[in-house]
Amino acid sequence: MNRSRSLPRGATAALLGLSLVLIGSGATHAATAPAGPVAPVAADSARVRLQLPAPTGRYAVGRDTLHLVDRSRADPWVPQAGARELMVSMYYPARPGGGRTAPYMTRGEAGAFLESRGLADAVSATTLSRTRTNARPGASPVRGSHPLVVLSPGFSVQRSTLTLLAEELAGQGYVVASVDHAYESVGTAFPGGRLLDCAACEQTKPGGYGVVPPSRARDVSFLLDRLLADRHPAWRHARMIDRDRIGMAGHSIGGASAMSTMVRDQRVRAGANLDGSFMEPVSAEGLGGRPFLLFGTGEDDSTWARDWPLLDGWKRWISVTGSGHFTFTDIPVLGDQLGLLTPDEPLSGTRSQEITRAYVTAFFDQHLKGLDRKLLDGPSARHPEVVFRRQG
């Protein structure tokens, strides 16, 4: 859900050729809005080799994929389908090595994403799915105990849209669990050749998104239960995770879900909301002093203003001048490479990813690693686009 945007109002953002019509006031996710006119393709997309910038940390990055089934509850969107399912990409600090890097997404997922935006004729599913990442499947992990960060994507888009951030955090020494919540994206591949569509999109019309963050909070708690299990954890490298240093971040409704998860699960020690309106108020009891970062566009969000006083720990409200709702994802980077960012788009893909990586990593460094990151103290000459709205 896009901060305070709901229905198209005419502000076009051609991110990855999305040309999504961004939204006025309300509580709807921009990713579910009808696609606007597609920007002209500046290059033959079939000849473009998309590539994500390399992480800046000291470690190489490994990636595993998990399919988890919560048999204690039925899927909230399609109960007849059976138990709730999750797809999870586990990124982790790894030893250097060769070999092919992990795929960005499947061709089916890419096709569903492009089709949902009216871009199937402008960008091929093969081009998008073959985006070169920096993580190697099955790479040997480094030794030691590492903080865990859970990432939750925006409504209707896949977890792959947060790959840049996931790889950066892993390169900086974090284990990252990036989650796809079943039936909440336009197309996510599950075992058995299944491509699950966005059944939730049909059931959460404007004003009905409040059920999503509590459901995702249950997903994340189940994920943590499986990753931190004393016997038979879900991930083969679970011993890497420091169970006392867990954080969560999310884009759009995934950011709102980070708050909802912290309210319900004390194991999550720090949270970051990347441009997502809160679908449910912060608890009157606050977060028990746990830190929270609000990081978004320059637009006012009434839910952030409403809940700011209830954040009872370290907190920042930071905005990025010239940003749009998808600035905090991979989309501007890929859009730049395809020549699809419009000339009036003030923030390039390069700057979008540099700023997002720098501030989100600094937040978790400070609150999960105990490192004093001056970047969070106030304005920086290196990042003049970043504005500190409120501090506490």
Side-chain angles (χ1 to χ4, degrees):
M1 132 251 100
N2 179 9
R3 297 228 5 222
S4 9
R5 299 171 174 146
S6 81
L7 295 176
R9 195 170 68 175
T12 303
L15 299 176
L16 183 55
L18 287 178
S19 297
L20 282 177
V21 182
L22 296 183
I23 302 176
S25 62
T28 299
H29 186 300
T32 65
V38 176
V41 180
D44 181 354
S45 67
R47 297 178 180 273
V48 174
R49 180 63 186 270
L50 300 174
Q51 182 170 346
L52 299 180
T56 64
R58 59 182 291 198
Y59 298 109
V61 178
R63 195 182 88 180
D64 289 334
T65 302
L66 305 179
H67 171 231
L68 301 181
V69 181
D70 183 357
R71 302 193 185 282
S72 70
R73 61 181 176 130
D75 187 90
W77 310 113
V78 187
Q80 64 272 24
R84 180 64 163 167
E85 297 180 82
L86 305 175
M87 292 301 299
V88 184
S89 293
M90 299 296 304
Y91 297 85
Y92 55 94
R95 299 174 185 174
R100 297 177 64 87
T101 56
Y104 185 66
M105 57 171 63
T106 69
R107 193 180 186 284
E109 289 171 330
F113 180 85
L114 295 168
E115 183 69 29
S116 72
R117 306 298 168 225
L119 289 169
D121 293 333
V123 181
S124 76
T126 298
T127 296
L128 179 57
S129 66
R130 289 182 177 176
T131 298
R132 184 172 180 180
T133 68
N134 300 281
R136 290 180 295 114
S140 298
V142 300
R143 294 181 178 179
S145 182
H146 303 270
L148 169 69
V149 175
V150 178
L151 296 181
S152 184
F155 196 60
S156 88
V157 295
Q158 299 103 327
R159 70 190 187 280
S160 53
T161 58
L162 296 176
T163 301
L164 271 167
L165 180 57
E167 292 185 341
E168 177 67 15
L169 288 168
Q172 298 286 352
Y174 293 85
V175 174
V176 179
S178 188
V179 186
D180 257 329
H181 310 265
Y183 298 107
E184 294 181 22
S185 82
V186 293
T188 295
F190 277 75
R194 294 173 295 153
L195 187 69
L196 302 189
D197 60 11
C198 193
C201 293
E202 296 300 318
Q203 299 177 41
T204 52
K205 300 301 182 184
Y209 294 94
V211 298
V212 177
S215 177
R216 289 197 178 188
R218 294 186 69 181
D219 290 343
V220 173
S221 290
F222 167 70
L223 169 65
L224 295 181
D225 289 345
R226 296 292 292 113
L227 291 178
L228 304 178
D230 292 327
R231 297 183 62 188
H232 309 300
W235 184 44
R236 58 181 178 153
H237 300 311
R239 65 185 182 280
M240 296 181 69
I241 298 173
D242 183 340
R243 63 181 59 215
D244 294 321
R245 294 188 292 165
I246 298 173
M248 181 175 175
H251 170 243
S252 195
I253 212 164
S257 299
M259 174 63 72
S260 294
T261 302
M262 290 183 71
V263 167
R264 293 166 172 81
D265 197 323
Q266 296 294 315
R267 292 175 294 184
V268 182
R269 305 303 304 166
N273 180 343
L274 311 184
D275 208 46
S277 297
F278 290 130
M279 295 287 92
E280 59 176 348
V282 177
S283 169
E285 290 75 32
L287 296 177
R290 288 171 291 168
F292 204 86
L293 172 66
L294 300 174
F295 193 51
T297 68
E299 295 186 17
D300 289 330
D301 187 311
S302 60
T303 68
W304 287 16
R306 178 196 69 201
D307 290 348
W308 176 261
L310 299 173
L311 301 177
D312 56 350
W314 182 102
K315 57 187 176 181
R316 295 288 186 273
W317 180 339
I318 300 175
S319 62
V320 182
T321 303
S323 63
H325 186 54
F326 285 92
T327 287
F328 312 97
T329 72
D330 303 351
I331 290 174
V333 173
L334 303 180
D336 257 354
Q337 293 176 35
L338 287 165
L340 292 173
L341 284 188
T342 57
D344 60 349
E345 189 70 33
L347 206 61
S348 69
T350 298
R351 287 301 290 154
S352 294
Q353 61 92 13
E354 287 174 347
I355 291 169
T356 300
R357 282 175 157 184
Y359 282 84
V360 175
T361 302
F363 171 74
F364 286 120
D365 278 355
Q366 184 157 320
H367 298 293
L368 295 183
K369 292 184 176 180
L371 303 175
D372 185 10
R373 294 306 190 203
K374 301 299 183 184
L375 189 63
L376 299 172
D377 290 346
S380 166
R382 291 181 58 194
H383 304 290
E385 306 94 336
V386 175
V387 177
F388 282 68
R389 301 278 297 275
R390 301 187 189 184
Q391 296 180 238

